[in-house]
Amino acid sequence: MATLVTGGAGYIGSVMVEQLVEAGQDVVVLDDASRGHAGALDESVPYYDGRVGDRALVASICREHEVDACVHFAALAYVGESVTEPKLYFQNNVAEGLGLLDGLMSAGVKRFVFSSTCATYGEPVRVPIDESHPQAPVNPYGWSKLFMEKILSSYDHAYGLRFVALRYFNAAGATKKKGEHHDPETHLIPNVLAAAAGRRPYVSVFGDDYPTPDGTCVRDYIHVTDLCTAHTLALEHLRGGGQSEFINLGNGHGYSVMEVIETARRVTGREIEVRMEPARPGDPARLVADATKAREVLGWKTQYPELEAIVRTAWEWHEAHPEGYGTQGQATAG
Ligand code: UDP
């Protein structure tokens, strides 16, 4: 019995692999080496360099490693890029996802944990957002994830595929060994810490006239370890015969961009220069999760409910890995 983790060389996928290995579970990684980092791979874990949509490869990995469940992280996740290059997003996130599901089911694997997103809700009509909130994505990235959710529901009904689709709010933080390294980096916390470390001259704040207490956007930051714990619980839920579910993952607390910057000043003890810039198109003012269902259905408890602890773990990782995973970082087949 092993878990197939797609995107195991990426930010969240690499933490998932670390957590499953620490729990003594068998894991196998499939990653196409396009956006992950070789340094994020765990050398003790079998790794296949290939497309998740390669049905024959997926089926042969499942048979060889006795895979009984898949956690699917491998996807493109830049909102802005999805607007300018939608075909990349529908091809990678939907068409490749369909191939993955075919490959899994042809090998008899019918347990699936899916990385979904609060971007499937679009502009919120009420906050906090629970799972029954209307889904109306405002960009192709959000649509690509919502299409996958609909495909999963249909496959559950028709083929008995059981899945847990986890709708992430803002993943952040690091473990000792694994952290966040994107190129280009668009996320707030790594950018703020890069400014604290002097690797960026300043941090841009996108918009200061939102209808929030300080005018900057409010987000719900969730530690990557807590996020992965929910996936481990989702696997247990499915292996225990649980039904398919859609579940939000967030802390239920919102922090503004300025509060994140203030927290980073405190944690790092460094100056952080701020420049106000125009709002990014499509950024909602407030995204905060109602994560009651994750606690009730999965028994999920978070270890890092406070922003300060989340930022501290990210800072410790950046201090220990000033170049992230380095510049030769693209994953290659092992
Ligand atoms: N943000 C910012 N400066 C940055 C990066 C992000 O002001 O360098 C803002 C962004 O506009 C949003 C919030 O920080 O309101 C969180 O952005 P991020 O890209 O981290 O996550 P998102 O909520 O877009 O998924």
Side-chain angles (χ1 to χ4, degrees), residues 79 169-170 186-192 200 203-207 210 217-219 221 257 280 283-284 287:
V79 168
F169 283 66
N170 288 61
T186 60
H187 293 109
L188 178 63
I189 291 178
N191 282 347
V192 170
R200 277 178 185 247
V203 58
S204 304
V205 172
F206 299 128
Y210 283 95
C217 285
V218 168
R219 294 289 180 274
Y221 295 91
V257 173
R280 281 194 314 204
D283 267 350
L287 292 173

Side-chain angles (χ1 to χ4, degrees), residues 65-253:
H65 295 275
E66 296 180 12
V67 168
D68 73 330
C70 174
V71 186
H72 177 41
F73 294 102
L76 301 182
Y78 289 121
V79 168
E81 184 183 57
S82 81
V83 175
T84 52
E85 294 286 352
K87 72 180 181 190
L88 275 182
Y89 279 70
F90 294 123
Q91 179 59 41
N92 272 280
N93 297 2
V94 184
E96 293 286 311
L98 281 169
L100 172 64
L101 291 172
D102 278 359
L104 291 170
M105 290 195 303
S106 71
V109 179
K110 291 192 170 181
R111 298 185 188 98
F112 194 74
V113 180
F114 178 60
S115 298
S116 192
T117 167
C118 65
T120 59
Y121 295 116
E123 188 66 43
V125 294
R126 55 172 196 268
V127 179
I129 299 172
D130 66 12
E131 290 82 359
S132 66
H133 184 285
Q135 289 181 291
V138 290
N139 51 61
Y141 167 65
W143 278 113
S144 73
K145 293 287 182 173
L146 184 55
F147 289 156
M148 280 300 288
E149 288 196 357
K150 299 297 182 200
I151 289 164
L152 292 173
S153 286
S154 310
Y155 281 25
D156 175 314
H157 181 72
Y159 310 127
L161 177 81
R162 296 289 179 263
F163 66 87
V164 178
L166 297 168
R167 295 180 184 148
Y168 310 163
F169 283 66
N170 288 61
T175 66
K176 287 239 159 3
K177 291 190 193 149
K178 314 285 182 198
E180 188 168 9
H181 177 182
H182 297 111
D183 193 12
E185 187 54 80
T186 60
H187 293 109
L188 178 63
I189 291 178
N191 282 347
V192 170
L193 296 180
R199 289 194 301 278
R200 277 178 185 247
Y202 58 88
V203 58
S204 304
V205 172
F206 299 128
D208 63 355
D209 58 357
Y210 283 95
T212 59
D214 66 17
T216 64
C217 285
V218 168
R219 294 289 180 274
D220 183 340
Y221 295 91
I222 178 78
H223 196 277
V224 64
T225 298
D226 288 329
L227 211 58
C228 290
T229 301
H231 292 66
T232 300
L233 293 168
L235 284 169
E236 280 173 23
H237 169 86
L238 294 174
R239 287 184 173 129
Q243 62 180 23
S244 297
E245 300 283 0
F246 298 97
I247 297 179
N248 283 342
L249 296 179
N251 266 310
H253 303 295

